[in-house]
Amino acid sequence: MNYFENRQIVTPGELLAEGDYIAGNNTYRIGNKIYASRLGLVEYQGKTVQVIALNSVYIPSPGDQVIGRIEDVNVNGWVVDINSPYKALLRVVDAINKPFKQQKDDLTSFLDVGDLILAKVIAFDRTMDPLLTIREPGLGKITQGQIVKVSPAKIPRIIGRRASMINLLKRETECKITVGQNGIILVSGPTPEHEKLAILAIEKIAQEAHTSGLTDRIAEMIRREKG
Amino acid sequence: MSGKVKLINENGLRIDGRRPNELRPIKIEVGVLSNADGSAYIEQGKSKTLAAVYGPRELHPRHLALSDRAILRCRYHMATFSVEERKPPAPTRREIELSKVIREALEPAVFLEKFPRTSIDIFIEVLQADGGTRCIGTTAAALALADAGIPMRDLVAACAVGKVDGVLVLDLNDIEDKEGEADMPVAYMPSLGQISLLQMNGTLTYEEFNQALNLALEGCKQIYKLQKEALKAKYVAIKEEVETCLQS
């Protein structure tokens, strides 16, 4: 038995379903009752009940593309802030293609404190801090563009179903938009005005993430702003 | 002691005009602080309290970290101007104890095991004190935790009962607390039906205790309803705004 309709807002502890159901994301089960564990929108899909969180921290997951800031330089790598409760490590072997000599090479000549990087998470579990790599095409130091920060919970909304939203943004604002799963987005466009428009749209999406018909409204907003 | 002040009048009403089983008027706002991960503000009668949550975040000092779960840290603090006579800002014995009590009332509600090696920090600031601040602090902190997107088993709602002039009353204010015969704060997780805090000051008979507990749980359920409304209000407002924009 369902106690709510799809996409209604639920709070932690609210009884979502009773009976033969599977507890999905952000829910938990006691006996045959399924409760919400986060503030969010409830979704019933067949026998699965899940809650789409409205706010959350970023928990790294292998394969995620993230944007981080170098926080410290060690002898064998860098410590990276990835907007998560856990500090990420970027080892030299995951950053530089050529052999590395500790005595000779200066790590700060590759990446220094304060540099922004686009990276991929290669490993993370409960016992270990996340490991990053930038040895893949397209990854590495960020040299241009502007950064927007949103709640990591809003990222799926910014990408949209089959990337519909992000493609709309790219097309309409003529900007290159790189989305980090950790809630940090890089926008780089032909002029600062283009970037400003894209950032405005992203902030609007984050603000209204829990409403429906958002893609159309964003398209309209961009067209209006462009005049 | 209760001879000095008359706390219940001849109509059976209390000093502030409430019936014995009536809560003070409550106003709740969620997400009031932009720099905190989650926050809540509650006004309950003349008591006003702000709660902020930061985290889960990296824990400093590192050696306090637990490898299997997050640690919950809580600071209950009263502003210097919260009481009639200026209160020195340093934490008193009472505030340190209440910090611990509130932390332990919230701990069973939070899925700490989801964030090993981190800390979740709660700051409760009492801006104006008129009794029941530990309960209001707990209620506000639970809302701030939910607002921060921290997974929880249930919200925690808290409320006090007491006995003044021989009558069991709900949600004591400062005078009733000081002049009354008993005071019993209760924190409750209504969906789970679990009590996470129960303290008692003064004396109640066995029968009175059972009655008082039931009264407190009823009070907690009312507060729980307001908590849920306040949490949803933040997002429902945006939704309605969007819908009215669409219609016009």
Side-chain angles (χ1 to χ4, degrees):
Chain A
M1 192 183 154
N2 300 353
Y3 287 94
F4 287 92
E5 283 168 37
N6 258 334
R7 303 199 67 78
Q8 265 192 302
I9 302 173
V10 294
T11 58
E14 278 192 309
L15 183 57
L16 301 178
E18 202 171 347
D20 185 19
Y21 283 94
I22 300 159
N25 290 338
N26 301 323
T27 63
Y28 68 99
R29 163 200 289 280
I30 298 178
N32 64 352
K33 291 178 175 165
I34 293 178
Y35 297 89
S37 69
R38 265 202 179 123
L39 180 64
L41 305 174
V42 64
E43 249 188 25
Y44 300 95
Q45 284 173 332
K47 290 272 120 189
T48 312
V49 188
Q50 65 162 344
V51 172
I52 301 163
L54 286 169
N55 190 9
S56 69
V57 290
Y58 174 64
I59 298 300
S61 159
D64 280 0
Q65 178 176 283
V66 296
I67 293 172
R69 201 184 72 242
I70 306 291
E71 213 169 55
D72 201 4
V73 186
N74 291 339
V75 280
N76 56 357
W78 295 267
V79 179
V80 189
D81 174 15
I82 54 163
N83 192 27
S84 156
Y86 307 101
K87 288 276 177 297
L89 299 171
L90 175 64
R91 298 175 302 181
V92 175
V93 286
D94 296 316
I96 301 164
N97 256 327
K98 57 180 189 187
F100 170 73
K101 283 219 170 59
Q102 264 186 18
Q103 298 86 336
K104 221 168 67 186
D105 293 321
D106 179 17
L107 283 187
T108 57
S109 65
F110 300 105
L111 291 167
D112 204 354
V113 174
D115 285 351
L116 290 166
I117 56 164
L118 181 63
K120 211 173 99 177
V121 180
I122 45 178
F124 174 71
D125 63 42
R126 290 172 61 89
T127 59
M128 183 176 75
D129 280 339
L131 277 183
L132 301 178
T133 180
I134 53 171
R135 273 183 68 173
E136 263 175 50
L139 303 182
K141 189 164 157 182
I142 293 169
T143 49
Q144 58 164 336
Q146 293 190 47
I147 291 288
V148 208
K149 225 172 167 181
V150 298
S151 169
K154 317 278 191 195
I155 290 296
R157 200 70 169 120
I158 285 164
I159 293 170
R161 188 161 297 166
R162 273 182 257 113
S164 58
M165 186 71 90
I166 193 82
N167 286 337
L168 171 89
L169 284 177
K170 284 177 183 167
R171 199 170 56 237
E172 294 291 328
T173 65
E174 300 163 44
C175 290
K176 259 192 77 190
I177 301 173
T178 314
V179 179
Q181 291 298 320
N182 56 343
I184 297 175
I185 302 165
L186 173 71
V187 180
S188 78
T191 66
E193 281 70 40
H194 286 87
E195 290 174 356
K196 206 177 144 195
L197 180 59
I199 290 170
L200 209 69
I202 289 167
E203 278 167 353
K204 189 176 165 75
I205 298 168
Q207 172 89 28
E208 298 175 7
H210 59 291
T211 60
S212 51
L214 191 53
T215 317
D216 296 338
R217 280 207 310 288
I218 294 296
E220 197 198 308
M221 186 206 108
I222 295 173
R223 257 172 238 136
R224 201 173 53 233
E225 290 286 327
K226 281 205 293 195
Chain B
M1 203 165 51
S2 57
K4 281 180 257 171
V5 194
K6 202 164 179 341
L7 292 168
I8 304 275
N9 71 13
E10 51 283 352
N11 298 326
L13 293 179
R14 295 202 254 158
I15 201 148
D16 51 7
R18 280 185 290 160
R19 277 169 271 120
N21 61 351
E22 198 178 335
L23 291 168
R24 289 176 282 185
I26 301 175
K27 187 185 130 194
I28 306 181
E29 260 180 83
V30 172
V32 286
L33 304 173
S34 54
N35 280 345
D37 294 317
S39 59
Y41 171 74
I42 301 188
E43 265 181 44
Q44 189 161 336
K46 285 188 216 153
S47 290
K48 300 175 184 179
T49 304
L50 197 54
V53 165
Y54 296 82
R57 61 182 178 182
E58 207 187 9
L59 175 61
H60 289 287
R62 264 269 173 71
H63 70 267
L64 293 175
L66 300 176
S67 56
D68 62 336
R69 63 192 146 101
I71 65 164
L72 193 65
R73 291 189 290 191
C74 179
R75 186 182 103 127
Y76 165 98
H77 184 253
M78 288 173 86
T80 52
F81 50 81
S82 63
V83 278
E84 287 193 12
E85 184 113 6
R86 185 190 126 96
K87 183 207 146 287
T92 57
R93 289 173 68 104
R94 176 178 172 276
E95 284 168 290
I96 294 164
E97 182 189 321
L98 289 192
S99 302
K100 172 184 176 289
V101 158
I102 292 171
R103 191 189 77 227
E104 288 176 352
L106 293 168
E107 254 171 355
V110 183
F111 283 99
L112 291 172
E113 62 275 21
K114 295 222 171 171
F115 305 102
R117 295 175 285 126
T118 62
S119 79
I120 298 170
D121 299 325
I122 304 168
F123 298 89
I124 298 164
E125 190 75 18
V126 178
L127 303 176
Q128 189 168 299
D130 185 41
T133 54
R134 82 186 67 188
C135 294
I136 299 167
T138 310
T139 308
L143 282 173
L145 283 167
D147 183 40
I150 291 166
M152 294 166 82
R153 274 169 257 267
D154 198 359
L155 297 172
V156 182
C159 176
V161 271
K163 190 167 94 169
V164 295
D165 291 355
V167 184
L168 290 176
V169 296
L170 188 63
D171 190 15
L172 305 174
N173 63 27
D174 196 41
I175 304 173
E176 288 174 329
D177 182 13
K178 280 180 181 139
E179 305 290 331
E181 292 107 80
D183 169 31
M184 184 167 89
V186 179
Y188 184 52
M189 295 185 274
S191 289
L192 304 180
Q194 290 175 354
I195 292 170
S196 64
L197 164 75
L198 190 120
Q199 294 183 301
M200 193 170 85
N201 225 308
T203 48
L204 291 174
T205 65
Y206 183 71
E207 288 74 29
E208 279 173 339
F209 172 81
N210 281 326
Q211 275 178 29
L213 187 60
N214 284 327
L215 190 61
L217 298 187
E218 282 310 311
C220 289
K221 281 176 196 162
Q222 287 180 41
I223 292 171
Y224 184 61
K225 232 173 123 188
L226 297 171
Q227 277 181 309
K228 289 202 288 189
E229 278 170 21
L231 268 179
K232 291 176 185 177
K234 187 179 160 188
Y235 293 96
V236 169
I238 298 173
K239 213 171 179 173
E240 278 171 358
E241 199 180 297
V242 166
E243 272 155 19
T244 49
C245 277
L246 283 182
Q247 279 162 9
S248 59

